[in-house]
Amino acid sequence: MSDLLGSVRLAWSVVVRNWVVYRKDFIANISPTLADPALMLTALGMGLSPFISSIHGLSYSQYLAPGMAATTVLFTAFFECSYGFYVRMTFESVFKAMLTTPIGTGEVVLGEFIWVSIRAALMAGGVGIVLELLSLLPNPWAVFLFPLIGAMLAIPCGAIGLLASSYVRNINQFQTVYSFIIAPLYFISGTFFPLNDRPVLGALVQVSPFFHGVSLLQMAAWNQFSPERIAYHLSVMLSYALILGLWSLARIRKKLIN
Amino acid sequence: MISKPNSTVAVDARKVTKRFGELVALNELSLAVDSGQCVGLLGPNGAGKSTFIGCLYGSVERSEGDLRVFGFDPAREARRIKERIGVVPQENALDEELTVRENMRLYARFQGVKDPFRRIEELLEHMSLSHKRHAQIRSLSGGMKRRLTFVRALLSDPELLILDEPTTGLDPTVRHLLWDKVLSYRQVGKTVLVTTHYMHEAELLCDRVIILNHGVQVAVGSPKELIEKETPGFVGIFEADQKSTLKIHLDSNWHCFMQGRQYCVRAPQIEHLIALQAASGVMAIQMRPANLEDVYLKLTGEELGENE
Ligand SMILES: Nc1ncnc2c1ncn2[C@@H]1O[C@H](COP(=O)(O)OP(=O)(O)O)[C@@H](O)[C@H]1O
Ligand SMILES: [Mg+2]
């Protein structure tokens, strides 16, 4: 038990380390994650809305809104755990020195997950507030649910990044991971168009961890709560978090320990 | 059983083997480091020094053999060990983006240091780095970075200090400063394990040295014992082109070898060398007692090139 507490304390010190480095370049670090959803909403929401009458009784901007929170979660978590982690691991040798202290590989990985969860929660909350101010959230209370869902969704998204970090042979290969894994997860996730009335895509997308997070955010934003659907999406998403999280832990451990 | 820390032996390795695929980096290495001792691990590049050190705190997983640090097995209880050691790794791995103090505060946190502010100031002062406390690490010279890495290793006041090539590439001033710090650390009863390929450093710091080559222990003992055993006597160093003139005057028991462009003769007594000078009419460039470098070169030097 005290071992577990010790682990959490050490993982938290990894979070502190990331924060100390992150805040050095705060503006540069935070801009893309905020700019992307804002641009998306402007281009698609404002640009396309006039041509699309309504989806399930929502304006297209309202339809897009929760997906914007999901977007920032996906990109925050994936990029931090892919490029960010990879640079720390290979170019900066951060862990070489860190692992001489009581911190172990388990705490390194746990720390990364806590770090991206917190960041994703804050970003999702921030996007939520903007959406609220733009009156794009039919359920105004969704603002409080976004950070919670964002924090959970960040785990599978970050785990994909860590797995990528453990498999790529050089940093350029992340581009391939993005094109073949992240982009499909992103564009086919219900963020941009509904999937439930498409038999093939609708069935296929069930294997995407991102889709389940998007669905939860949409239910929150649109005030469409059904206990069965919440239970389904939540349990699939958390299962992914657990499986991908443990898998990435095993992979990163192999990378950090010779 | 193992959870009971052993008080007299800091490191106990029995037939530790480490393979990287086909390559055998450590081959049944057995060694012990007693508490309060300074033990040197010597050997050419690629001998397996860093690999062994990695095994001690679990960043390298040994393939076979038994290993205990303070009685704990690093493969299973690395944290218990890491709470009590300080490591100066071969690469500094400092956070270049951060300032000296930011970096040390993080490491103080990692190591659970109490009263970190005071401890950091104390150690920066000790390593003559106080004036750099707000400097970005990337702006420090190589010698300052190395000193800062020592500060980092000493934050938790460890019982065992592990130094992996602590002075490689540093200027003599910094080297002497660091030696001085290591010696004073020893004086307060701490244990030190140091790898190096500077024999002078090993002679100066170590009670006992272990010479490794290709992951195999080729010699162990105090520097003095090893010199007595492997290369006793005095060495005269001559110009290489005097070799043929000298040869006819040599005793068959003496040891002769080329070292770079110099021809060396090792004889039991300095008088022998003086007599050699008189008989051959060739003056030595230098005459000196045999040292650990002679031992090292004798035991590891033959296959130079293969190791590199
Ligand atoms: N991670 C690794 N993967 C494969 N080979 C390695 C690895 N680390 C070290 N080696 C090899 O093991 C041998 C010993 O290396 P090392 O312990 O670094 O030597 P030293 O520190 O004495 O210079 C070398 O041949 C080196 O190439
Ligand atoms: Mg080495």
Side-chain angles (χ1 to χ4, degrees):
Chain A
M1 194 61 212
S2 73
D3 262 18
L4 190 65
L5 275 177
S7 279
V8 172
R9 190 183 59 78
L10 289 170
W12 182 251
S13 68
V14 176
V15 176
V16 173
R17 187 233 160 245
N18 286 346
W19 163 243
V20 169
V21 176
Y22 184 84
R23 74 173 176 207
K24 291 244 144 185
D25 221 351
F26 189 73
I27 302 294
N29 279 324
I30 204 157
S31 304
T33 36
L34 281 180
D36 287 350
L39 283 171
M40 204 80 67
L41 201 60
T42 314
L44 300 180
M46 281 166 56
L48 283 183
S49 261
F51 307 100
I52 300 167
S53 51
S54 79
I55 302 177
H56 307 319
L58 299 159
S59 76
Y60 191 55
S61 290
Q62 283 176 327
Y63 181 84
L64 273 178
M68 296 305 101
T71 303
T72 186
V73 170
L74 174 66
F75 290 145
T76 298
F78 175 72
F79 284 110
E80 182 66 24
C81 289
S82 55
Y83 287 96
F85 186 85
Y86 188 81
V87 165
R88 287 200 278 286
M89 179 168 70
T90 35
F91 303 124
E92 297 174 354
S93 312
V94 169
F95 305 121
K96 278 210 179 99
M98 207 184 262
L99 291 175
T100 70
T101 73
I103 294 172
T105 46
E107 286 93 20
V108 165
V109 171
L110 181 60
E112 290 298 321
F113 283 133
I114 297 175
W115 167 239
V116 293
S117 278
I118 293 174
R119 275 183 61 193
L122 292 174
M123 299 305 295
V127 170
I129 291 170
V130 174
L131 297 173
E132 180 101 324
L133 294 175
L134 295 171
S135 310
L136 292 176
L137 296 180
N139 170 22
W141 300 105
V143 178
F144 298 102
L145 290 170
F146 275 20
L148 192 67
I149 301 167
M152 293 187 283
L153 178 58
I155 307 287
C157 298
I160 294 170
L162 288 182
L163 284 168
S165 290
S166 80
Y167 280 107
V168 293
R169 267 181 241 107
N170 61 63
I171 197 162
N172 299 321
Q173 293 186 340
F174 283 123
Q175 189 57 46
T176 314
V177 177
Y178 179 83
S179 306
F180 286 95
I181 296 174
I182 301 302
L185 286 185
Y186 179 47
F187 288 108
I188 304 165
S189 60
T191 298
F192 301 103
F193 55 94
L195 292 166
N196 13 12
D197 33 11
R198 289 165 198 267
V200 181
L201 274 184
L204 238 128
V205 79
Q206 304 298 322
V207 302
S208 154
F210 185 60
F211 162 75
H212 298 282
V214 171
S215 303
L216 287 168
L217 287 162
Q218 289 176 337
M219 290 194 297
W222 302 336
N223 214 0
Q224 298 175 347
F225 295 100
S226 102
E228 304 89 69
R229 287 186 60 213
I230 293 175
Y232 170 63
H233 291 303
L234 197 60
S235 56
V236 177
M237 187 174 74
L238 290 178
S239 305
Y240 267 118
L242 189 69
I243 292 162
L244 295 177
L246 290 176
W247 182 14
S248 61
L249 170 64
R251 289 288 311 177
I252 295 298
R253 176 165 282 159
K254 265 216 179 98
K255 276 303 241 204
L256 294 181
I257 292 187
N258 291 312
Chain B
M1 7 123 244
I2 47 161
S3 59
K4 188 145 195 169
N6 195 324
S7 56
T8 57
V9 184
V11 175
D12 190 2
R14 307 249 167 111
K15 294 198 170 184
V16 170
T17 296
K18 174 63 190 180
R19 284 181 224 96
F20 291 108
E22 295 284 283
L23 184 114
V24 183
L26 293 174
N27 196 352
E28 304 207 332
L29 182 64
S30 297
L31 64 90
V33 178
D34 292 339
S35 287
Q37 264 195 340
C38 178
V39 172
L41 209 51
L42 316 182
N45 291 326
K49 303 182 297 294
S50 299
T51 302
F52 181 71
I53 281 184
C55 289
L56 295 180
Y57 59 86
S59 92
V60 174
E61 239 164 28
R62 63 184 189 271
S63 313
E64 272 162 44
D66 204 14
L67 182 58
R68 292 287 184 276
V69 182
F70 306 124
F72 298 114
D73 180 350
R76 280 176 298 151
E77 298 188 276
R79 200 202 294 171
R80 297 261 173 286
I81 295 166
K82 295 197 286 182
E83 282 163 356
R84 296 164 64 180
I85 65 173
V87 183
V88 171
Q90 193 167 346
E91 282 176 65
N92 293 325
L94 294 157
D95 270 310
E96 301 274 327
E97 312 289 317
L98 302 181
T99 69
V100 165
R101 192 146 83 180
E102 284 171 332
N103 199 234
M104 292 307 106
R105 288 191 63 186
L106 281 175
Y107 272 82
R109 181 186 282 271
F110 296 164
Q111 301 181 338
V113 175
K114 293 184 194 81
D115 199 358
F117 255 114
R118 237 200 44 219
R119 183 71 184 150
I120 291 166
E121 282 305 317
E122 203 176 277
L123 285 170
L124 288 179
E125 181 70 43
H126 186 62
M127 288 288 172
S128 317
L129 283 170
S130 294
H131 61 298
K132 289 287 177 186
R133 61 170 76 84
H134 297 300
Q136 281 232 327
I137 287 168
R138 72 162 85 249
S139 75
L140 302 184
S141 71
M144 288 179 182
K145 284 184 189 170
R146 203 58 177 161
R147 270 140 67 197
L148 188 59
T149 306
F150 266 78
V151 171
R152 187 177 71 189
L154 293 173
L155 281 171
S156 62
D157 195 20
E159 287 163 62
L160 169 63
L161 188 59
I162 297 177
L163 310 171
D164 196 357
E165 298 192 20
T167 63
T168 298
L170 300 181
D171 66 56
T173 321
V174 178
R175 198 174 283 175
H176 280 283
L177 174 97
L178 291 177
W179 287 339
D180 181 50
K181 300 303 176 196
V182 175
L183 287 170
S184 50
Y185 202 68
R186 282 204 45 205
Q187 270 165 4
V188 296
K190 308 282 187 169
T191 313
V192 181
L193 178 63
V194 55
T195 81
T196 182
H197 36 228
Y198 295 124
M199 295 308 118
H200 176 59
E201 179 166 277
E203 262 187 273
L204 194 79
L205 300 178
C206 303
D207 306 300
R208 228 154 54 83
V209 299
I210 291 143
I211 301 180
L212 280 186
N213 202 9
H214 295 304
V216 180
Q217 178 181 304
V218 291
V220 56
S222 73
K224 228 184 184 148
E225 283 167 7
L226 286 178
I227 297 165
E228 302 264 290
K229 179 163 171 257
E230 301 288 344
T231 63
F234 291 80
V235 178
I237 299 166
F238 299 90
E239 301 278 9
D241 52 11
Q242 307 286 2
K243 186 172 166 181
S244 49
T245 322
L246 288 163
K247 267 214 150 138
I248 40 175
H249 300 282
L250 297 178
D251 191 294
S252 61
N253 294 330
W254 300 353
H255 195 79
C256 310
F257 52 100
M258 289 298 293
Q259 207 167 75
R261 299 203 169 170
Q262 295 173 324
Y263 182 62
C264 304
V265 177
R266 181 160 46 78
Q269 299 299 330
I270 192 132
E271 288 77 14
H272 294 131
L273 294 174
I274 294 167
L276 173 65
Q277 287 191 115
S280 64
V282 177
M283 293 314 269
I285 302 165
Q286 195 198 352
M287 287 192 278
R288 57 167 175 77
N291 59 28
L292 199 55
E293 186 145 332
D294 299 315
V295 177
Y296 177 86
L297 288 172
K298 179 186 167 196
L299 296 176
T300 66
E302 283 96 339
E303 311 136 283
L304 194 74
E306 252 180 62
N307 283 325
E308 294 297 309

